[in-house]
Amino acid sequence: RVYTAVYQPNSQNLCVIDPLTGQTDMCYSLPGYPFSVAVSEDQAYLYAGYGQPNGAGRIVQIELSTGQIVLNKTLPVNTFPS
């Protein structure tokens, strides 16, 4: 599977794509602009960083077996090295 962040003017999604067929298996809607994606080593969870219109950064954790968001948390400010 290929996991990708997709931004369109009225749609911000994380999508799962089957690389053999090129078909989208599933998309998860986000309330902001996705900018990074990662999958847990056991492929049980999908993580994405996204931004909100007010500039706040957030991270979401999706349980892939159910498609449910299990974590949606604001990232602390000034935690990245300069």
Side-chain angles (χ1 to χ4, degrees):
R1 301 277 180 254
V2 175
Y3 301 92
T4 185
V6 178
Y7 169 75
Q8 296 173 344
N10 292 315
S11 173
Q12 300 88 33
N13 296 298
L14 292 175
C15 293
V16 183
I17 300 169
D18 183 329
L20 297 177
T21 65
Q23 297 296 310
T24 301
D25 288 342
M26 181 67 145
C27 283
Y28 305 98
S29 181
L30 293 177
Y33 310 103
F35 56 80
S36 61
V37 178
V39 179
S40 63
E41 188 173 337
D42 62 3
Q43 299 203 1
Y45 297 98
L46 178 62
Y47 298 89
Y50 69 93
Q52 296 180 300
N54 66 3
R58 295 188 65 87
I59 189 164
V60 65
Q61 178 188 32
I62 298 171
E63 187 172 20
L64 290 172
S65 65
T66 64
Q68 297 297 309
I69 293 176
V70 294
L71 175 73
N72 191 353
K73 190 166 180 95
T74 300
L75 296 172
V77 178
N78 297 325
T79 57
F80 301 101
S82 52

